[in-house]
Amino acid sequence: MTEPGGLKPGALEGLRVLDLTRVLAGPQCAMLLGDLGADVIKVERPGAGDDTRAWGPPYHGTEAAYFLCTNRNKQGITLDLKAPEAQEILRDLIRQSDVVIENFKAGTLETMGCGEDFFRNEAPGTILCTISGYTGKGPQANMPGYDFLLQAESGLMSITGEVGGDPTKFGVAIVDICTGLYAAIAILGALQARGRGEGGQHVEVSLYTTAIALLANVASNVLVSGKNAGRYGNGHPNIVPYRSFRCADADIALAVGNDGQFARFAAAAGHPEWSTDSRFSRNSDRVRNRAALDALIENVMPTRSADSWIAELQADGIPCGRINSVAEALASEQSAATGMVLDVVHGTAGAFRSVGIPMQLSGTPPRLRRPPPALGEHTDSVLVQFLGMSEERVAALRARGVV
């Protein structure tokens, strides 16, 4: 089956998703489902919209770059959810949706008549995904979640930064982004279960649980060894040498992953004896003698240019690469070849460039179908076509500020 123009439908073609979220984790989740072909309707506040519409500069026309990065492939409507008529519309939208994603304060859906009883009795096949700061459990159960705070509280900041330096946050809101990924994965799992006849269910993810999960091998190190984790700068707690080094003209990242690679690196560095030195011959030895080996490598790397090192090391099968700026990465041949920069035409702001879709599906390829919506751009069409309202009723609702 193909769409008009010979394009294949996405993997989630026909799936209806109601996006009641704002900022990053929820919108990211909904956008990923939209990238895969789902029909996503984003609900925003009249007049203001998602908080990130105001998170600039930079702006493209009137649209904040932040908002543009995480809201493609959605239709946008506005509803004043404090108004009873808007709450009635919300309930109708939920009844027609396969998935509802929300990140309201705890109890907000209940105040709008959309609590557990509503989903159980009137939308039994709908997947409700709740994204919160702390999953509604523990001493911080109902506290709001902010990426920066979760990086701090989870320990992520404590392991990021230079040795002996200050704890440092990740350069992007990594907890938010990964929470959106976990939410999308959980939704797809719930949809698979629904396909087996399990019906709808409530999916919950939180910034806190995501942040703890992101500790990965570092958390495992602490739990197994009983020793607290530290900061290694650009180094790795379990692999050496695996960090950045200064060359004659620029920095490179060197990622020696096993003993064979280290022997080849030592030879390329002009010091084959390193690989037979009892301090460095095995990775476990190199981890214990990290400082001594790092000092030796730091003396050798500045003798040649970054390009010279990269060419020889990559030819020898030793993982390494130049440390690019964001602008350099986006302008690279690799980004162009993988479609990671998209040309987008916005209905009111005009043409702009955006980060591409990172997923590849050979049979049902994800693609850009819609630019991020202008505030309330699709309110009329959604209410008329999706809910069957008359244009006169929509006009009346607009006149009263409901939409």
Side-chain angles (χ1 to χ4, degrees), residues 49-80:
D50 191 314
D51 297 355
T52 60
R53 287 187 181 274
W55 286 8
Y59 291 92
H60 182 72
T62 59
E63 303 295 329
Y66 200 119
F67 179 85
L68 294 176
C69 84
T70 193
N71 285 289
R72 66 175 171 245
N73 286 331
K74 301 179 184 181
Q75 299 181 74
I77 71 170
T78 52
L79 284 178
D80 178 5

Side-chain angles (χ1 to χ4, degrees), residues 57-355:
Y59 291 92
H60 182 72
T62 59
E63 303 295 329
Y66 200 119
F67 179 85
L68 294 176
C69 84
T70 193
N71 285 289
R72 66 175 171 245
N73 286 331
K74 301 179 184 181
Q75 299 181 74
I77 71 170
T78 52
L79 284 178
D80 178 5
L81 291 175
K82 294 179 181 179
E85 287 178 288
Q87 294 173 8
E88 180 183 347
I89 292 170
L90 174 63
R91 291 190 291 271
D92 287 340
L93 288 169
I94 291 173
R95 291 185 185 100
Q96 299 295 321
S97 298
D98 297 290
V99 177
V100 176
I101 311 168
E102 62 94 8
N103 62 355
F104 294 121
K105 291 181 180 178
T108 300
L109 274 183
E110 285 78 1
T111 66
M112 294 185 286
C114 303
E116 290 184 8
D117 287 345
F118 171 81
F119 276 88
R120 181 168 51 251
N121 298 324
E122 300 192 44
T126 300
I127 309 299
L128 171 63
C129 176
T130 294
I131 298 175
S132 65
Y134 299 90
T135 319
K137 299 175 182 177
Q140 294 169 277
N142 296 317
M143 292 289 290
Y146 295 91
D147 179 278
F148 180 44
L149 299 184
L150 269 301
Q151 289 196 43
E153 293 174 348
S154 66
L156 282 171
M157 282 178 59
S158 76
I159 61 171
T160 307
E162 291 302 318
V163 177
D166 294 331
T168 304
K169 76 177 183 68
F170 199 81
V172 298
I174 192 66
V175 176
D176 271 332
I177 292 169
C178 289
T179 300
L181 288 170
Y182 279 129
I185 293 167
I187 288 168
L188 294 175
L191 288 169
Q192 173 70 7
R194 189 182 73 167
R196 297 198 308 266
E198 299 289 335
Q201 60 179 293
H202 191 185
V203 169
E204 296 184 77
V205 294
S206 75
L207 273 65
Y208 184 80
T209 54
T210 293
I212 294 296
L214 287 177
L215 292 169
N217 60 292
V218 175
S220 186
N221 290 346
V222 172
L223 293 171
V224 169
S225 71
K227 298 178 181 178
N228 206 355
R231 285 187 291 282
Y232 292 90
N234 285 332
H236 194 290
N238 300 103
I239 310 172
V240 174
Y242 199 101
R243 47 159 285 196
S244 60
F245 288 97
R246 169 69 66 176
C247 302
D249 58 344
D251 290 350
I252 68 169
L254 177 67
V256 174
N258 57 53
D259 296 339
Q261 289 178 359
F262 179 70
R264 297 197 298 277
F265 167 72
H271 290 278
E273 72 278 6
W274 289 351
S275 64
T276 57
D277 189 316
S278 61
R279 296 174 298 168
F280 312 136
S281 58
R282 297 177 302 170
N283 180 68
S284 57
D285 302 319
R286 296 192 293 275
V287 170
R288 283 190 288 269
N289 295 285
R290 176 193 305 268
L293 180 57
D294 281 352
L296 293 172
I297 298 173
E298 286 169 355
N299 287 333
V300 170
M301 300 304 286
T303 62
R304 295 166 58 180
S305 70
D307 285 345
S308 174
W309 279 115
I310 290 170
E312 179 171 354
L313 295 178
Q314 288 185 348
D316 288 339
I318 301 164
C320 63
R322 179 180 286 271
I323 298 178
N324 289 325
S325 69
V326 174
E328 289 170 335
L330 292 173
S332 70
E333 292 183 4
Q334 189 64 31
S335 289
T338 54
M340 284 310 297
V341 176
L342 294 176
D343 292 311
V344 184
V345 179
H346 190 276
T348 58
F352 68 96
R353 306 188 80 202
S354 183
V355 173

Side-chain angles (χ1 to χ4, degrees), residues 371-396:
L375 182 60
E377 178 180 352
H378 305 99
T379 300
D380 289 21
S381 60
V382 167
L383 297 183
V384 171
Q385 298 172 18
F386 196 66
L387 295 185
M389 287 187 187
S390 67
E391 294 180 359
E392 291 76 17
R393 185 185 174 193
V394 174

